[in-house]
């Protein structure tokens, strides 16, 4: 069922990504990891819809999405560059009941994100903050400027609740010698061991998700404890 | 185009089913594999949405919406097991 939300604010995260704050009348609440469909309608009636993860934990009045602009994309450039506070936005959701973290769920949580794949993981980090669930985040980005939620992540990294580790694939900041994709050795170093009983959430571009999931399974992780979401 | 996964079909299926199907266990009618629906391969650029078996690539489910109707083709599934909540 499509409904009309109102944009309360649009916040720049990076040169190519924005967080959109939405007011949704009678929002039923959501679980961390769920997403929405967004639908745009052109003046001639042509419609395009895309899925966007909810970036925030449920806090009653507003929800947040974070959209990374895909060059030449049909929908994302409009959401990132054109949409502004006060605009209406057609949405459907929340949907998805598999790629979710529920408070009280057993065991530690391993989050692994690539690019905008960090969005639903941020919702999980928010939802778990203040609970006793140990979480680790491994976040793969091209370069330091492409880190989304850089302030949140710095704060989290400084706290005892969450371990945050960034992996740079093209260009690393000064003092970080490693540039390259996630490999078996890096997973061995930064993710929970197969015997730790963690649930692992992997999200990002399809090729990233498949590569990471294959490495995890090859390292002995139980496929039943790995949950994935492919962004395309 | 890259495939997505069952999560990408959640919105379209929410128009038709009262329960979330991404967490349901689906059995492929072609190879017999059972897997959570979220792990199926989903293509959204065809007219409508097509979900394929991650094991044998057979079509599990198709949803096509026209301005007036929605067509749901479930021929590729032996069953869907929906967890009770
Ligand atoms: C469940 C789910 C949740 C998602 N959550 C988010 C989110 O939180 N934030 C977010 O920014 N995106 C998210 N996406 C991706 C989003 O739905 C769109 O695919 C993306 O915004 C591009 O749409 P577009 O219309 O701009 O580009 P399109 O016009 O669809 O595509 C333009 C070109 O870019 C390629 N392309 C499509 N998607 C991507 C992509 N994600 N990365 C790289 N290239 C791509 C296409 O193959 C095509 O060649 C999610 C996808 C799914 C399935
Ligand atoms: Zn099959």
């Amino acid at each position: 069922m499509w409904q009309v939300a109102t944009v309360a604010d649009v916040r720049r995260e990076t040169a190519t990504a924005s967080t959109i704050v939405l007011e949704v009348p009678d929002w039923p609440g959501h679980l961390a990891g769920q997403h929405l469909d967004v639908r745009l309608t052109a003046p001639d009636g042509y419609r395009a819809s895309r899925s966007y993860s909810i970036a925030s934990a449920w806090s009653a009045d507003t929800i947040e999405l974070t959209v990374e602009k895909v060059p030449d994309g049909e929908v994302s450039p409009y959401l990132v560059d054109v949409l502004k506070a006060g605009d209406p936005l057609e949405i459907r959701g929340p949907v998805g009941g598999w790629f979710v973290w529920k408070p009280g769920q057993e065991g530690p949580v391993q989050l692994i994100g690539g690019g905008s794949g960090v969005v639903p993981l941020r919702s999980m980090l928010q939802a778990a903050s203040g609970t006793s669930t140990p979480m680790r985040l491994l976040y793969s980005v091209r370069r330091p400027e492409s880190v989304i939620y850089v302030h949140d992540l710095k704060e989290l990294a400084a706290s005892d609740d969450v371990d945050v580790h960034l992996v740079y694939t093209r260009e690393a900041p000064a003092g970080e010698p490693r540039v390259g994709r996630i490999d078996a050795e890096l997973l061995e170093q930064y993710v929970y061991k197969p015997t730790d009983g963690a649930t692992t959430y992997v999200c990002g571009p399809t090729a990233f998700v498949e590569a990471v999931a294959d490495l995890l399974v090859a390292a002995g992780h139980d496929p039943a404890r790995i949950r994935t979401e492919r962004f395309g | 185009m890259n495939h997505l996964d069952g999560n990408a079909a959640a919105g379209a299926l929410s128009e038709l089913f009262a329960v979330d199907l991404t967490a349901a266990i689906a059995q492929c009618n072609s190879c017999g594999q059972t897997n959570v629906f979220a792990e199926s391969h989903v293509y959204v650029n065809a007219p409508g949405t097509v979900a394929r078996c991650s094991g044998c690539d057979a079509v599990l489910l198709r949803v096509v919406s026209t301005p007036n109707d929605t067509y749901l083709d479930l021929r590729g599934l032996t069953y869907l097991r929906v967890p009770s909540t």
Side-chain angles (χ1 to χ4, degrees), chain B residues 27-33 52-58 60 76:
Chain B
Q27 183 174 51
C28 171
N29 205 17
S30 182
C31 74
Q33 170 184 287
R52 291 177 175 272
C53 173
S54 65
C56 76
D57 216 33
L60 297 175

Side-chain angles (χ1 to χ4, degrees), chain A residues 50-53 66-68 70 73-76 119 230-231, chain B residues 8:
Chain A
R50 299 287 184 274
S51 300
Y52 292 98
S53 294
T66 302
V67 181
E68 173 85 49
V70 169
E74 214 167 42
V75 173
S76 60
V119 175
R230 292 160 181 82
F231 274 13

Side-chain angles (χ1 to χ4, degrees), chain A residues 10 15-17 24 52 60 69 78 87 89-90 126 139 156 175 178 189 194 206 211 215 224:
Chain A
V10 180
T16 51
V24 191
Y52 292 98
K69 182 164 57 171
Y78 174 82
D87 288 349
L89 187 67
E90 246 192 314
Q126 280 193 1
Y139 180 14
L156 278 172
R178 188 184 188 278
Q189 202 175 348
T206 300
L215 286 168

